[in-house]
Amino acid sequence: MLVSDGIKAEALTPAICQAFAGPGRDVYLRAYDRLNGAGYGAGVARAFASAAPRVAEHAGSAQAIAIAADASRIAIKARPRLAATYLDLCPAIAVKLRNAADFQQWRGMIASVLGRSPKAVGAVLDRADLLLDRLGLEGFCAWTETGLMVGGLDTDQALGFFRLETPEAQRLLERYAGEANFPSLEAGLTSFHTALWRHAPVLREAVADASNRRARRTGFSDGIIRMPASFPGFKGQEQQLYRAALAHVGAHAAYGGPRFPLGQLKPLQLAVISLIEDARVEALALRDMPGLIRLWLPFHTARFDGLATAPNLFAGLARALIDPASCPTHGWIRKGVAMFDAASGRLDDPAILREIGNILGNDLGQIRVQFDALSYVVQPAYRDDNLGLWGLPDDQDTPPPADEIEADLQTARNSEVDDRPQDRTQEQTVPDAQARLDTVKIIGAPLEAGRKVSCLPEYDHCAGIERDDWVTVNSYEPVAGDHGFWDALRQRHGTTIARINHVIVKNEAGKRRRLKQQAEGETLDLDAAVDAVIAIRAARQPDDRVYACILPPERSIAVHLVLDISQSTADLAAPGMSILDMERDAAAILAGTMLQLGDDLAITAFSSAGRHDVRVIPIKTFGSPLDEATGRALAGLRPGFSTRIGAALRFASQGMQDVSRYRKLVLLVTDGAPSDIDVADPEYLVADARRAVQTMRSQGIDAVCVALGPDAGQRQSEIFGRKSCVQITDIATLPSTLSAFYLRMTR
């Protein structure tokens, strides 16, 4: 059906007639008529008439016609207004992509968002043009697909991601844009700091505040260095900037002193004193390591533009104090430089800060410079937030000591103009360096919360990509169980333990080595003895190495035993014994077996509560003894949560990277297929676990699975391969069969 004569003029503009010739014009008119008569409003049809010829010019007439059906679906599932927005956007996207295949891929991504999270379509369309500029088509599709995975069934969460309101969305945006960030640079930064300052730092990514606003400046407190997830606006300079920030914090540690008391200082004075202290420690560091100037100076780009605002003056003074060639023109800046130069002979004394800071602060007050403490951001970007310089109250609910400090150090805050101050409970740590990793508090975390120990990738088989830092692994302290665990184990499984010990002694798992021509040994080497007798009779000096000895088998094996303690392990495997009870006993017997063989063993229990909380409990680490604490940790295991196997395997293999053994093995004991609360696709976690196994094997780490129960085995075989998966149908036999299986596998 063609459009009526009354509206044919609007539908058939000269541009349309040129773009759709012959039969294509009728196809276009039918598409226009469907939109016009669907009740979406005249704006949608007009938007199609405007967009179609421009899309046809760059992506072909077929794609131009197809956007009408796209708009109709958007109008039905979302809103007609968004359908018009989509049509208005299509020509710009077609110009940017310039071919039909890419334009069709972009349309498919929008359709995917519409189908899985209709409320998020508007947010994606609002930013699609800018995102394509920054990410390219492949990056845009990967980032969008990741956003849909993040949101899952939670529409609000997906909406926050696509509006770039969450730190995760911004971090992933930087990663897909090819911009280096803290997670990607962390290992190198640790090495850099260690080489520069001769001690390994404790680095952490600074968390977002309660309003999900990210930290923009580095912070330090009690040896913990918190670095921003990224430095927007410094593409290509990220590594240099992070290194400059670390060098600056190191200068504070090396040349600073005790924290300064707040006293009666006003916010403006705090900011000036902090700036002078930054310059002081840098001057001392440059005196000993002049090459640091190449790290710091490139980021001092401030030029005083004549507008006497506090940020302008502070940035100008910061540059003038490190760069004598900057030639400041403002009198206040020149005065600050002159005072600092006059005190150059006593830079080791932090007291000069108060003298210079008070004078310069009073001068700013006299000339009535406006200072907004809440919006102030330290410049240049590599410098820290200055909170580590000041003695904040231990009780964060205690008000500052003076009514005048209304912002309570917001002068040194690391937020930008639209940032809000972070919650400082992040800085409550203990000074003991050994305990730092265990005591950093997380805002709002319950007392039983785990400690973040790793961020791991995860493979999405639908998108065909492996998302870095997608899964968070949290370590939970073992709960101490029955102190008589080992005695009870011997009572329950004494016969099994004795039989395994007998097998070990009798067979000495491995191949024994016979050494001949030894200076000492248990038996004579007959060949060497005959040669010695011949030498004596020939009046030659005989070789006294006439003995032979037999050495025990040479083994070089390390095993990371991974125990599934998800909720399903609470099911009974025998009267009065759950699956977890059987796993616990089997792990203990295997540990004793490996102790006799001299093999290295680590034991980790795991479960999961979504990708943000893969829960691991370290029962035994490599090098730690098999003692009462190990038994109590095993006895204290409790079932719960889900089974994210791929993450558990990656974590276990990660812990074996520094183990120096010829053979490395991760042995998983589980009663079910991978599953988790935030994944609906049953193939997703299976494909990810299979990818984890493939990655481990490429690194020289074997992966073997013991599948428990009559219904287990099929999915595990898909993950590990049939030769690397053994099924134990009668779970009650696990304690007696696990060690026997291990002996057969490693002899």
Side-chain angles (χ1 to χ4, degrees):
M1 180 182 68
L2 299 181
V3 293
S4 62
D5 293 337
I7 60 173
K8 189 172 292 188
E10 177 185 306
L12 292 174
T13 63
I16 290 171
C17 292
Q18 182 178 355
F20 301 97
R25 188 171 303 171
D26 290 339
V27 177
Y28 160 78
L29 288 172
R30 283 194 292 270
Y32 177 90
D33 190 57
R34 282 194 295 270
L35 284 179
N36 190 60
Y40 305 144
V44 175
R46 280 197 298 268
F48 174 64
S50 173
R54 290 181 288 164
V55 172
E57 179 182 356
H58 297 283
S61 59
Q63 294 298 315
I65 299 299
I67 64 175
D70 297 343
S72 182
R73 285 189 289 269
I74 292 173
I76 293 170
K77 288 193 172 185
R79 294 189 302 276
R81 182 182 63 80
L82 289 179
T85 300
Y86 170 77
L87 293 169
D88 290 339
L89 179 63
C90 281
I93 301 300
V95 170
K96 199 179 298 293
L97 299 179
R98 292 196 163 275
N99 66 75
D102 288 351
F103 185 77
Q104 184 175 7
Q105 184 178 352
W106 177 79
R107 288 180 46 238
M109 197 68 252
I110 300 301
S112 182
V113 176
L114 180 67
R116 294 159 64 181
S117 187
K119 289 186 178 179
V121 169
V124 175
L125 294 176
D126 287 343
R127 294 160 180 80
D129 198 9
L130 295 176
L131 289 172
L132 280 173
D133 283 336
R134 188 171 178 184
L135 301 175
L137 178 61
E138 295 301 325
F140 169 80
C141 292
W143 182 82
T144 305
E145 180 66 32
T146 300
L148 295 173
M149 290 293 298
V150 168
L153 301 177
D154 188 336
T155 301
D156 291 337
Q157 191 171 357
L159 197 57
F161 183 95
F162 290 120
R163 286 175 175 170
L164 294 174
E165 294 174 348
T166 67
E168 187 169 35
Q170 296 166 2
R171 182 171 62 249
L172 289 169
L173 179 63
E174 290 148 8
R175 172 166 296 153
Y176 287 123
E179 300 168 4
N181 55 19
F182 175 73
S184 66
L185 298 172
E186 182 176 0
L189 293 174
T190 299
S191 300
F192 170 79
H193 188 281
T194 304
L196 188 63
W197 298 111
R198 300 181 182 178
H199 68 88
V202 180
L203 301 182
R204 292 287 182 272
E205 181 179 322
V207 300
D209 64 14
S211 300
N212 271 335
R213 298 189 185 277
R214 298 189 301 170
R216 294 297 183 186
R217 295 293 180 262
T218 302
F220 63 91
S221 175
D222 293 325
I224 308 293
I225 302 175
R226 302 176 316 281
M227 307 205 78
S230 64
F231 284 103
F234 290 91
K235 187 172 183 178
Q237 298 178 282
E238 297 94 344
Q239 184 181 61
Q240 182 88 349
L241 181 50
Y242 275 107
R243 287 185 171 186
L246 268 187
H248 178 77
V249 172
H252 278 298
Y255 304 100
R259 292 190 174 197
F260 307 129
L262 290 175
Q264 301 295 316
L265 294 174
K266 296 181 179 180
L268 183 63
Q269 292 172 308
L270 293 174
V272 176
I273 293 173
S274 297
L275 189 158
I276 300 298
E277 171 65 359
D278 285 340
R280 185 185 75 86
V281 297
E282 286 186 1
L284 293 174
L286 289 169
R287 182 184 62 188
D288 296 335
M289 292 179 284
L292 287 174
I293 194 68
R294 294 194 297 272
L295 271 179
W296 291 330
L297 191 56
F299 298 102
H300 286 270
T301 58
R303 295 182 180 276
F304 183 70
D305 59 6
L307 187 61
T309 63
N312 274 357
L313 293 173
F314 289 167
L317 179 58
R319 179 176 182 181
L321 291 177
I322 197 173
D323 181 14
S326 63
C327 300
T329 58
H330 194 277
W332 182 84
I333 298 176
R334 292 202 306 271
K335 181 176 181 179
V337 172
M339 295 178 67
F340 191 83
D341 290 343
S344 60
R346 54 190 187 102
L347 287 180
D348 292 318
D349 180 12
I352 66 170
L353 301 175
R354 286 295 180 108
E355 299 174 16
I356 300 175
N358 284 336
I359 293 173
L360 293 178
N362 288 335
D363 287 351
L364 290 177
Q366 293 295 322
I367 60 178
R368 300 195 180 278
V369 170
Q370 297 298 313
F371 179 66
D372 184 357
L374 293 176
S375 64
Y376 173 62
V377 55
V378 177
Q379 295 292 346
Y382 73 81
R383 286 191 172 173
D384 63 281
D385 59 15
N386 291 327
L387 288 178
L389 303 179
W390 299 95
L392 301 177
D394 292 333
D395 182 1
Q396 299 300 315
D397 294 327
T398 301
D403 294 336
E404 296 166 310
I405 311 179
E406 298 174 0
D408 190 21
L409 265 173
Q410 296 302 334
T411 57
R413 251 323 185 191
N414 57 355
S415 57
E416 292 185 339
V417 174
D418 60 344
D419 284 354
R420 298 178 187 176
Q422 269 186 312
D423 190 327
R424 287 197 301 273
T425 55
Q426 274 299 108
E427 300 172 6
Q428 297 175 352
T429 61
V430 297
D432 181 9
Q434 189 65 30
R436 286 172 191 152
L437 294 178
D438 299 316
T439 55
V440 178
K441 294 186 178 180
I442 305 298
I443 298 173
L447 294 177
E448 68 275 11
R451 172 173 56 88
K452 177 181 174 182
V453 292
S454 185
C455 286
L456 300 173
E458 190 165 83
Y459 179 68
D460 183 346
H461 71 109
C462 293
I465 58 175
E466 190 171 84
R467 296 188 176 91
D468 294 333
D469 301 334
W470 185 251
V471 174
T472 301
V473 179
N474 297 314
S475 179
Y476 290 77
E477 289 299 319
V479 176
D482 182 10
H483 66 275
F485 172 77
W486 293 112
D487 292 335
L489 181 75
R490 283 187 285 269
Q491 291 177 8
R492 288 193 299 270
H493 303 287
T495 303
T496 297
I497 295 172
R499 185 175 68 252
I500 292 173
N501 291 342
H502 177 71
V503 171
I504 293 173
V505 172
K506 182 178 179 180
N507 297 327
E508 291 187 293
K511 185 177 180 181
R512 302 176 70 181
R513 295 177 298 152
R514 180 182 177 88
L515 300 182
K516 303 178 72 175
Q517 283 189 297
Q518 301 297 304
E520 297 178 350
E522 300 87 359
T523 62
L524 281 173
D525 179 352
L526 293 180
D527 292 335
V530 170
D531 290 341
V533 171
I534 292 172
I536 291 172
R537 290 185 178 181
R540 298 195 310 267
Q541 180 67 33
D543 189 340
D544 60 356
R545 295 175 297 171
V546 295
Y547 296 98
C549 65
I550 298 176
L551 295 182
E554 183 178 9
R555 295 173 65 87
S556 182
I557 301 175
V559 177
H560 200 147
L561 179 62
V562 182
L563 302 177
D564 172 9
I565 59 169
S566 58
Q567 184 59 45
S568 60
T569 62
D571 297 344
L572 290 179
M577 296 287 284
S578 67
I579 296 174
L580 180 55
D581 292 331
M582 296 300 176
E583 288 187 19
R584 181 188 295 119
D585 287 359
I589 295 173
L590 177 62
T593 300
M594 294 183 63
L595 180 64
Q596 292 190 64
L597 293 171
D599 298 345
D600 286 348
L601 174 67
I603 305 174
T604 300
F606 85 97
S607 59
S608 61
R611 69 183 182 90
H612 291 298
D613 190 18
V614 174
R615 308 161 71 92
V616 296
I617 301 175
I619 305 301
K620 181 186 181 301
T621 59
F622 289 113
S624 64
L626 185 65
D627 54 13
E628 182 181 340
T630 308
R632 297 191 69 182
L634 282 169
L637 292 177
R638 298 292 182 269
F641 305 101
S642 302
T643 319
R644 211 174 192 106
I645 288 178
L649 293 174
R650 288 188 180 90
F651 177 77
S653 65
Q654 189 180 65
M656 303 190 77
Q657 298 299 324
D658 298 328
V659 177
S660 56
R661 288 294 181 268
Y662 177 75
R663 185 178 183 189
K664 301 177 183 179
L665 171 68
V666 172
L667 179 58
L668 171 71
V669 180
T670 180
D671 71 324
S675 64
D676 213 339
I677 57 175
D678 58 350
V679 177
D681 179 4
E683 299 300 320
Y684 176 87
L685 290 178
V686 172
D688 171 63
R690 184 163 54 243
R691 178 68 167 246
V693 169
Q694 294 168 352
T695 302
M696 291 164 59
R697 289 174 178 163
S698 70
Q699 298 169 344
I701 301 174
D702 291 335
V704 177
C705 177
V706 176
L708 306 179
D711 299 327
Q714 177 60 39
R715 302 257 74 179
Q716 286 81 354
S717 295
E718 295 176 20
I719 294 169
F720 293 87
R722 294 193 179 278
K723 293 183 179 180
S724 298
C725 181
V726 59
Q727 181 178 2
I728 298 179
T729 304
D730 185 0
I731 303 176
T733 65
L734 178 64
S736 61
T737 56
L738 183 60
S739 291
F741 168 66
Y742 175 74
L743 290 173
R744 290 196 306 272
M745 181 173 55
T746 59
R747 66 186 175 188

